[in-house]
Amino acid sequence: YEMQRSLVGSEMCIRDSDLGDIFGDIFGGGFGGFDFNGGDMGDIFGDIFGDIFGGGRSRSRSGPMKGANVRTAVRITFEEAVFGCDKMITLQEAGGNRTLKVHIPAGIDTGQSVRLRGKGHPGIGGGEPGDLLLKAKVGRKPGYERKGVDVYTTVSIPYTTAALGGETRVSTLYGDVSCKIKEGTQSGSKIRLRGKGIVSMKNPNVHGDQYV
């Protein structure tokens, strides 16, 4: 088709008056009712070709958006993990430092996280703030090894107690207890102390065991 063109610099411009003839010839007059001079051209291309070419019309997301979550680590001692604690943490932000008092639940283990809702970055456009996720790193306690909610300890007893039987004192997380030693106990034998382990973070009525 014959088009009237004018070159401006390196760009080719098609006069609006020609668009009606061009589209009329191509589509059989289907565009005859549009006023290209009135600014319909951008709407037409946006509606028809926008999804195909990915840019026919610029659309921006509107409405409130939730703020981003903040993730950080918190170091706690073995005892703090067993019994729970309150910690003061400081977050470094663009507008300055922010200090929060957070509660660490009893039973938490290394790698587990505590979610504090609404303590993350502010929302956008009136959206709710994000959350703060605290990932725990639990220190070690000499003489104790943790496996889930169970703990393992070692106690040394005299040969005569092992051979003839008797009692020995065993340290637990909740204080010392007197433990019976059966006659003929061999080195490396295990004694189970029910409920002397660590509380479950999901269910405070459930405790692990201690193996001596």
Side-chain angles (χ1 to χ4, degrees):
Y1 293 90
E2 193 72 18
M3 300 183 183
Q4 296 180 7
R5 307 170 181 178
S6 61
L7 297 178
V8 181
S10 61
E11 297 182 354
M12 181 176 69
C13 299
I14 301 176
R15 291 206 301 253
D16 292 337
S17 60
D18 296 324
L19 290 174
D21 294 336
I22 294 172
F23 280 91
D25 291 337
I26 296 175
F27 297 101
F31 289 85
F34 290 99
D35 178 11
F36 289 94
N37 293 317
D40 292 327
M41 183 176 66
D43 293 338
I44 294 171
F45 276 90
D47 291 337
I48 299 178
F49 302 108
D51 292 338
I52 301 176
F53 297 103
R57 180 183 298 177
S58 174
R59 291 182 173 89
S60 60
R61 179 180 293 180
S62 61
M65 294 179 60
K66 183 178 180 179
N69 294 335
V70 176
R71 291 175 171 82
T72 188
V74 56
R75 293 178 178 271
I76 56 178
T77 66
F78 193 93
E79 287 81 2
E80 288 174 335
V82 172
F83 300 107
C85 65
D86 292 328
K87 301 284 288 187
M88 299 297 295
I89 63 170
T90 300
L91 303 175
Q92 295 182 352
E93 300 177 343
N97 294 339
R98 178 163 57 114
T99 301
L100 295 174
K101 182 180 181 180
V102 299
H103 178 71
I104 306 298
I108 196 169
D109 200 359
T110 294
Q112 293 181 317
S113 296
V114 177
R115 180 185 292 269
L116 301 176
R117 299 193 180 277
K119 299 299 183 182
H121 289 301
I124 300 174
E128 61 179 320
D131 301 333
L132 173 62
L133 300 174
L134 296 176
K135 191 173 184 178
K137 186 171 183 180
V138 182
R140 300 180 63 86
K141 180 178 177 65
Y144 287 80
E145 180 183 2
R146 177 175 179 174
K147 295 182 180 180
V149 293
D150 296 328
V151 293
Y152 292 77
T153 62
T154 300
V155 64
S156 298
I157 59 175
Y159 174 80
T160 54
T161 303
L164 303 175
E167 292 186 352
T168 187
R169 294 195 68 79
V170 175
S171 295
T172 75
L173 297 170
Y174 312 97
D176 293 347
V177 297
S178 181
C179 187
K180 290 184 178 180
I181 305 298
K182 294 182 179 180
E183 180 181 343
T185 295
Q186 300 295 314
S187 180
S189 298
K190 290 182 181 179
I191 299 173
R192 181 183 183 184
L193 303 179
R194 294 182 181 274
K196 296 299 183 182
I198 300 172
V199 65
S200 170
M201 192 170 68
K202 297 180 180 179
N203 187 350
N205 295 321
V206 176
H207 283 72
D209 301 324
Q210 180 173 338
Y211 293 90
V212 183

